[in-house]
Amino acid sequence: MSETARRMFLRHLLMSPLMAAQSPEASIERCLDVFDFMPLAQKKIMKWHWAYLQTGVDGDLTLKRNSEAFQEIQLRARRFLDTSRIDTTAEVFGERWASPLFICPVGSQQAFHPEGELATARAAKARGRQMILSNMTSTHVRDVSKAYGRPPWYQLYVSDDWSVATHIVKQADSAGCPVLILTVDSAVGSNRVTMRRGGTKADAVCQSCHVNSTAGYMKEHPMYDGADTSKARGLTGFITWEMIDRIRAMTKMRLVAKGVVTREDAAECVARGIDGIIVSNHGGRQEESLRGTIESLPEVVEAVKGRIPVMLDSGVRRGTDILTALALGATAVGIGRPYIWGLGAFGQPGVERVIDILHEEMILTMKMIGVLQSSAIGAASIVRK
Ligand SMILES: Cc1cc2nc3c(=O)[nH]c(=O)nc-3n(C[C@H](O)[C@H](O)[C@H](O)COP(=O)(O)O)c2cc1C
């Protein structure tokens, strides 16, 4: 082959779709922070599902605020310390975790990758991270438990039909889930404009796979198998204290309220025997409060006074965000969209890499700012801009 022919052949090869699929930009090693997974996932996920993943509500301002609010808190770096050995563990409900980072419940994960929750569970197992399984899981809790190696924490949406809620609680209970997460921020559906712009179940293209009704949606999700869903008018409904008392009487699982953002509710949770709180605004997908969860955290921590664990999610994108939340009193910190970007882009290895990146960022920052123990970081390590 002549030199010119060889060069032309190589050029042709480099421009071929085969090479594009394996282009260096698409390799997992080239993902240096969690944001690098986003465009790669977007390429692989159907545009309607991508809109469902990325959406906030109204003008997506709370979604943005969640991350921006972290950037208004600065870290104070201490010197003259030997930080060659640090401790990143966290203790939650008497269990020692390798890291304070946990996996938030995200529904319908097969919309993002064919292996969905099973890939997430295997990654969480490989990295020793606590996983919370969504009520809207695409795979039944008993199969996710096998992939995870133990039962995950289970998240519950209480529909307006009590018999349906009972059915779900019983299944989580018999799967052996130790903790039930009550999502309390989703009493009514929210105004997901970005999602609706991307397409809704009323669109013909969506209807080729989905039935646009509560019963239809429940039917797509295996946790509702065997339940009579004909009377349920909504996937989610109001959670009153009376309902929580009834759930408490039904199960020995620990109860954690997810979506608490005020001192009043936090104090009431403690008074009524709730075992833990997740300060969350559902990743900016419920009310357009314009308030980042990191801004809500201090008042919740103050009201709880260390009596139960206070966890936080929404807008966490960096190891520094994890440390900021811990410094403000969080016991553990959750991620939603970032691991789904990893899942969508690369499946299980993508979720593992997202977890690793955040962990590496956190470790490096701890060493540089002089924090020897992540669980001991406090207000002295931060300052507001
Ligand atoms: C696509 C998607 C689906 C979600 N599904 C659920 C769910 O089924 N149950 C729930 O309690 N929270 C759900 N959430 C909220 C997450 O548990 C978590 O609160 C949020 O994603 C954290 O914010 P982040 O995405 O900015 O990290 C979902 C979030 C997303 C993005």
Side-chain angles (χ1 to χ4, degrees):
M1 194 189 281
S2 75
E3 182 55 23
T4 317
R6 197 179 70 86
R7 277 172 194 266
M8 280 182 71
F9 174 70
L10 280 176
R11 189 160 169 254
H12 173 76
L13 202 65
L14 280 171
M15 289 172 71
S16 78
L18 188 72
M19 288 302 280
Q22 297 170 348
S23 69
E25 303 86 69
S27 88
I28 202 163
E29 292 77 25
R30 298 281 291 233
C31 291
L32 302 181
D33 62 20
V34 302
F35 299 101
D36 285 343
F37 292 88
M38 212 198 296
L40 305 180
Q42 186 173 9
K43 270 190 206 151
K44 294 198 179 168
I45 294 174
M46 287 170 72
K47 77 175 177 104
W48 304 278
H49 297 168
W50 183 252
Y52 162 66
L53 173 63
Q54 295 296 94
T55 195
V57 287
D58 295 1
D60 289 351
L61 297 175
T62 310
L63 167 71
K64 292 191 191 103
R65 183 71 197 154
N66 276 334
S67 295
E68 280 167 12
F70 276 105
Q71 290 159 29
E72 290 169 15
I73 304 170
Q74 303 168 326
L75 294 169
R76 298 180 67 243
R78 295 297 308 275
R79 315 295 185 201
F80 312 109
L81 287 159
D82 176 358
T83 54
S84 48
R85 289 161 71 98
I86 53 159
D87 172 9
T88 62
T89 60
E91 198 184 308
V92 185
F93 297 141
E95 209 182 290
R96 194 147 282 280
W97 296 356
S99 146
L101 185 78
F102 66 90
I103 298 294
C104 286
V106 167
S108 309
Q109 292 186 20
Q110 280 179 356
F112 311 120
H113 188 275
E115 290 173 23
E117 288 81 1
L118 292 177
T120 299
R122 289 185 195 116
K125 180 186 179 197
R127 292 299 182 266
R129 297 299 186 275
Q130 181 60 55
M131 173 181 182
I132 308 179
L133 184 66
S134 163
N135 193 145
M136 308 317 294
T137 176
S138 359
T139 304
H140 197 279
V141 63
R142 86 177 87 76
D143 301 314
V144 174
S145 298
K146 277 185 207 141
Y148 187 45
R150 61 189 164 118
W153 290 6
Y154 189 85
Q155 176 264 323
L156 175 75
Y157 281 131
V158 177
S159 92
D160 58 1
D161 182 338
W162 184 248
S163 72
V164 175
T166 309
H167 173 85
I168 304 276
V169 174
K170 281 189 179 151
Q171 287 186 86
D173 209 5
S174 51
C177 298
V179 177
L180 188 68
I181 310 289
L182 307 169
T183 298
V184 297
D185 58 18
S186 306
V188 291
S190 59
N191 186 28
R192 298 180 179 178
V193 175
T194 297
M195 182 180 86
R196 283 154 64 198
R197 288 217 170 94
T200 73
K201 287 195 174 150
D203 292 355
V205 65
C206 298
Q207 284 181 4
S208 57
C209 293
H210 303 282
V211 177
N212 187 26
S213 69
T214 298
Y217 195 51
M218 285 177 169
K219 217 176 187 145
E220 285 173 29
H221 292 87
M223 294 303 289
Y224 293 95
D225 289 353
D228 174 9
T229 57
S230 59
K231 290 188 213 75
R233 278 162 299 145
L235 276 181
T236 62
F238 296 94
I239 295 198
T240 60
W241 284 110
E242 189 257 328
M243 286 175 178
I244 293 175
D245 291 344
R246 283 163 79 181
I247 294 171
R248 168 83 64 210
M250 213 190 293
T251 173
K252 294 254 176 314
M253 285 184 279
R254 282 197 163 96
L255 299 185
V256 169
K258 174 174 182 278
V260 171
V261 287
T262 60
R263 63 170 68 78
E264 296 88 337
D265 286 342
E268 187 150 19
C269 282
V270 176
R272 292 190 181 250
I274 289 288
D275 299 292
I277 284 175
I278 303 181
V279 175
S280 170
N281 57 27
H282 220 106
R285 295 162 78 83
Q286 292 308 116
E287 68 279 346
E288 186 77 309
S289 65
L290 305 182
R291 202 167 179 228
T293 51
I294 197 67
E295 296 168 292
S296 305
L297 179 65
E299 66 175 86
V300 172
V301 167
E302 193 191 302
V304 166
K305 296 185 177 63
R307 289 170 289 178
I308 56 174
V310 175
M311 296 163 262
L312 171 134
D313 73 33
S314 300
V316 174
R317 304 288 180 265
R318 297 272 179 198
T320 48
D321 298 339
I322 301 173
L323 289 172
T324 300
L326 297 180
L328 283 170
T331 310
V333 181
I335 47 166
R337 292 180 189 85
Y339 82 84
I340 298 293
W341 299 331
L343 176 71
F346 299 107
Q348 178 187 342
V351 180
E352 289 173 6
R353 189 69 200 120
V354 163
I355 293 171
D356 289 347
I357 287 175
L358 290 170
H359 194 61
E360 286 156 15
E361 287 178 354
M362 187 182 89
I363 287 179
L364 198 58
T365 308
M366 283 174 69
K367 291 188 171 186
M368 284 193 287
I369 69 170
V371 170
L372 295 168
Q373 228 184 333
S374 54
S375 58
I377 186 172
S381 291
I382 49 166
V383 62
R384 286 195 183 271
K385 245 188 204 175

